[in-house]
Amino acid sequence: MPATQAAAVAHQVTNLAQLEELYGIPKQTSLDKEICYISTQYKAFIEAAPFFALSTVSHEGTDCSPRGDPAGFVKVIDGKTIEFPDRRGNNRIDSLRNIVEDPRVSLLFLIPGVGETIRVNGTATISTDPARLEAHIMDGKPPKSIITVTVQTIYFQCQKAIFRSALWNEETKVDRKTLPTAGQMVQSLSKEDFDGDAYDKAYPGRIKETAY
């Protein structure tokens, strides 16, 4: 075995005992903040969030999908239940495929300008109940389905990650022109002829027409 590979293996953390020795015992407050129901305070954060990341899993692996709408689009039904619409996308439906196979999900809620995030773990179901679809109509259009999550654990994450990343700071915003465009990325990867420039030029109008 090459020396560099041997060194890498020697420094791998492979069991819980190693992890606990490395990081120590969590503070009691870090444990107390995790509960199995949606408290009034946690409800306020969920309802103020216009964005969250949805993590799902299946036998093929894991997936993480961005979800966003005006704040309040995630509805707190009761102390154990939230629901949100599945809006129009690219029809890959990776998250929905995974939920059908394995209902376990995790959600991470972000609120612009706020350092704390909310983490939810639970199980999900997919519904096409017309009454529930109607509750999530935007621009006169209902979603194709509703995802309901039964909360198993919920807790807030402190501000450290947002503070270190300076995520909400105006000074750290990246000029979009410094990165590849969507059209350029698709064109470089497409197995078919694809005009990336035309795609980019049409996108501002298309997103307004297809967001819902």
Side-chain angles (χ1 to χ4, degrees):
M1 181 183 294
T4 54
Q5 185 177 351
V9 171
H11 292 286
Q12 285 183 354
V13 177
T14 58
N15 59 63
L16 293 179
Q18 288 176 299
L19 275 177
E20 292 170 355
E21 182 178 358
L22 179 64
Y23 284 94
I25 300 173
K27 295 181 179 180
Q28 187 60 44
T29 52
S30 296
L31 302 175
D32 292 342
K33 67 182 180 181
E34 179 179 344
I35 56 179
C36 63
Y37 63 94
I38 305 169
S39 68
T40 300
Q41 294 173 329
Y42 287 169
K43 179 176 182 287
F45 270 81
I46 291 173
E47 293 179 336
F51 177 90
F52 70 90
L54 172 66
S55 177
T56 58
V57 63
S58 74
H59 76 282
E60 294 183 349
T62 59
D63 183 72
C64 189
S65 171
R67 303 289 167 140
D69 247 335
F73 79 106
V74 179
K75 300 186 183 303
V76 178
I77 306 303
D78 55 42
K80 291 287 291 184
T81 314
I82 60 176
E83 72 173 30
F84 55 90
D86 186 65
R87 299 294 186 198
R88 294 180 63 173
N90 53 21
N91 286 338
R92 284 179 56 103
I93 56 175
D94 296 311
S95 299
L96 302 185
R97 292 179 191 276
N98 286 355
I99 289 171
V100 167
E101 181 178 322
D102 187 327
R104 292 177 297 169
V105 297
S106 294
L107 299 81
L108 178 67
F109 291 89
L110 286 88
I111 305 171
V114 176
E116 291 85 1
T117 58
I118 295 291
R119 297 170 62 170
V120 172
N121 299 307
T123 56
T125 58
I126 304 168
S127 174
T128 58
D129 180 347
R132 293 165 68 189
L133 297 180
E134 187 175 355
H136 292 272
I137 287 178
M138 286 291 289
D139 285 356
K141 301 173 184 177
K144 287 191 174 181
S145 66
I146 296 293
I147 299 174
T148 301
V149 176
T150 300
V151 174
Q152 294 177 335
T153 61
I154 179 172
Y155 55 102
F156 79 91
Q157 189 79 35
C158 75
Q159 300 186 30
K160 290 189 181 71
I162 303 298
F163 174 79
R164 290 190 292 254
S165 67
L167 183 62
W168 307 129
N169 290 8
E170 288 292 325
E171 297 80 5
T172 61
K173 284 188 175 180
V174 175
D175 183 351
R176 183 64 183 86
K177 295 178 181 178
T178 64
L179 297 171
T181 67
Q184 290 169 343
M185 289 187 282
V186 174
Q187 182 172 319
S188 69
L189 299 170
S190 179
K191 296 180 175 62
E192 303 174 349
D193 289 336
F194 185 86
D195 188 337
D197 186 54
Y199 178 90
D200 288 332
K201 289 179 179 177
Y203 193 75
R206 185 168 58 250
I207 193 171
K208 291 179 181 179
E209 297 174 358
T210 63
Y212 296 102

